[in-house]
Amino acid sequence: MLTDTPREPKTGARSGAERWRRELAGAVREPAELIRRLGLPEALREPAERAARLYPLRVPGPFIARMRPGDPEDPLLRQVLPVAAETAAVAGYGADPLAEQAQRTGSGVLEKYHGRSLVLAAGGCPVHCRYCFRRTFPAGDEGGWRSALAHLEAAGAPAEVILSGGDPLLLDDAAIAECLQRLGRLDGIRRVRIHTRMPVAIPARVTEALVRHLARAPLQAVAVVHANHPHEVDAEVTAALGRLRGACSAVLNQAVLLRGVNDDAATLAALSERLFEAEALPYYLHLLDPVSGAAHFDVDADTGLRLWTELAHRLPGYLLPRLVREAPGAAAKQVLTPSGP
Ligand SMILES: *Cc1c(COP(=O)(O)O)cnc(C)c1O
Ligand code: SF4
């Protein structure tokens, strides 16, 4: 394999940890740099810089390496490059589409659905997805998981605790280990679920130490990763998901249905196939949350259902994600199914 990154000494977890930290710290934050690296038209720069003032650009090297140089339409680039459309106000798109701010307990726990508490474990993400429903939220506090655990320890735990964020795998391995041990001691808990884009954004984050902590955790672990397009799952990501699979009871994927990225049945089918090769199963295909700045990604529910139906005709049931939408105040995510026979 050709690589332009320095070779790592093969000394296991230690060098792995250093590599993911370097890749995280080295994430591209300047539109001009992304444009230069990919040989993109200079005209993209000014609107990108303007949109990045509302929500900064952030994309790590391993993710950029999977983009096609010189292609402004690249489906991975589209997910991260700020564009002029983000700065337009669109009716129906707001700052907090899921009314989540009101549901946050002071301790960083979202208790929205029965039996599952979602912990805002870490502030920030390794990559800034332009369609993110949290793009307008103030960055969380990095130590949020400690107050969240204190809350669960005092108030009682549900069957499943979901570590989300931001991205919980921004925490270091020692913090993850402590978190898993403390969760395992809670009465009534059965599982921990980790919602993370890290194995896709920076696959080196799946270190030997992380895998060991997950495998030895005193409760079952489920990883839910996030890839939207088959090009996101390259050989390195496949290897990282394989390592995770060795330590977790399941590795699942959630994707967002995005116009210009994955809004055709062939791409969605290829994504499911790639995920399965990487030992991950498709879980959810989300309709876009109406967050301001993301309207240009919207695929309406009827189109979503038509694509999903086409997908259902192509794939075995276990490779078919559920098409869902989040409705503020609802007791569960709303699963969309075609009406009629
Ligand atoms: C999506 C979500 C969950 C998990 O829902 P599942 O349908 O179990 O995947 C839990 N809490 C919150 C706040 C969520 O948004
Ligand atoms: S990784 Fe998830 S939470 Fe983070 S910016 Fe992307 S969509 Fe949002």
Side-chain angles (χ1 to χ4, degrees):
M1 187 178 71
L2 287 173
T3 170
D4 58 3
T5 51
R7 272 181 194 281
E8 292 299 316
K10 287 200 163 44
T11 50
R14 201 186 161 81
S15 63
E18 285 159 6
R19 178 170 166 202
W20 76 262
R21 288 217 169 270
R22 254 198 334 274
E23 288 174 343
L24 182 65
V28 170
R29 291 153 200 267
E30 296 297 333
E33 188 185 346
L34 185 60
I35 286 164
R36 184 185 53 75
R37 275 213 209 179
L38 290 166
L40 294 168
E42 179 61 22
L44 294 174
R45 173 177 165 165
E46 192 278 329
E49 284 173 349
R50 209 153 22 91
R53 272 180 232 134
L54 294 174
Y55 179 51
L57 165 73
R58 186 166 189 180
V59 54
F63 198 84
I64 299 172
R66 295 169 224 147
M67 297 174 186
R68 289 182 298 250
D71 182 2
E73 318 265 270
D74 180 86
L76 276 60
L77 178 72
R78 280 228 160 126
Q79 296 178 48
V80 301
L81 180 71
V83 295
E86 293 178 31
T87 55
V90 178
Y93 289 75
D96 183 12
L98 309 181
E100 270 198 356
Q101 289 294 33
Q103 275 160 322
R104 283 188 178 201
T105 65
S107 50
V109 181
L110 276 173
E111 284 159 349
K112 196 155 126 182
Y113 299 142
H114 178 79
R116 288 148 292 168
S117 286
L118 188 143
V119 167
L120 302 164
C125 278
V127 53
H128 284 178
C129 313
R130 308 313 298 177
Y131 52 83
C132 180
F133 72 97
R134 295 205 172 99
R135 56 175 283 160
T136 59
F137 283 16
D141 140 33
E142 290 288 331
W145 64 277
R146 287 183 191 278
S147 60
L149 270 176
H151 168 84
L152 294 171
E153 283 162 353
E160 180 166 332
V161 169
I162 302 171
L163 303 179
S164 183
D167 198 310
L169 291 188
L170 286 178
L171 301 176
D172 64 25
D173 291 330
I176 303 275
E178 181 191 334
C179 188
L180 294 173
Q181 291 300 321
R182 281 174 68 182
L183 285 172
R185 287 197 290 271
L186 296 174
D187 260 352
I189 193 167
R190 289 167 175 267
R191 300 180 284 282
V192 59
R193 195 197 307 182
I194 301 178
H195 278 184
T196 175
R197 190 134 155 81
M198 205 66 149
V200 172
I202 304 182
R205 175 63 191 94
V206 186
T207 59
E208 287 173 30
L210 175 67
V211 167
R212 204 167 50 239
H213 295 320
L214 284 166
R216 291 185 190 157
L219 70 180
Q220 282 188 292
V222 176
V224 181
V225 301
H226 173 181
N228 302 309
H229 190 280
H231 291 176
E232 283 169 73
V233 189
D234 69 354
E236 249 204 284
V237 173
T238 300
L241 296 180
R243 294 197 293 281
L244 263 186
R245 181 67 190 86
C248 293
S249 300
V251 177
L252 308 173
N253 182 67
Q254 45 186 347
V256 182
L257 185 56
L258 298 166
R259 196 203 301 170
V261 173
N262 60 7
D263 58 337
D264 67 278
T267 301
L268 291 169
L271 174 63
S272 280
E273 297 283 0
R274 282 297 296 124
L275 287 166
F276 188 68
E277 285 162 12
E279 298 190 57
L281 288 173
Y283 178 40
Y284 280 152
L285 178 61
H286 293 265
L287 290 183
L288 186 78
D289 296 312
V291 66
S292 36
H296 57 291
F297 284 116
D298 189 56
V299 177
D300 63 63
D302 286 346
T303 308
L305 266 173
R306 185 178 53 69
L307 289 170
W308 182 89
T309 304
E310 233 181 286
L311 205 57
H313 292 162
R314 288 182 185 225
L315 292 173
Y318 60 89
L319 291 187
L320 191 61
R322 265 153 277 189
L323 181 66
V324 292
R325 133 169 90 196
E326 195 111 32
K333 294 198 202 311
Q334 201 182 346
V335 180
L336 283 83
T337 47
S339 50

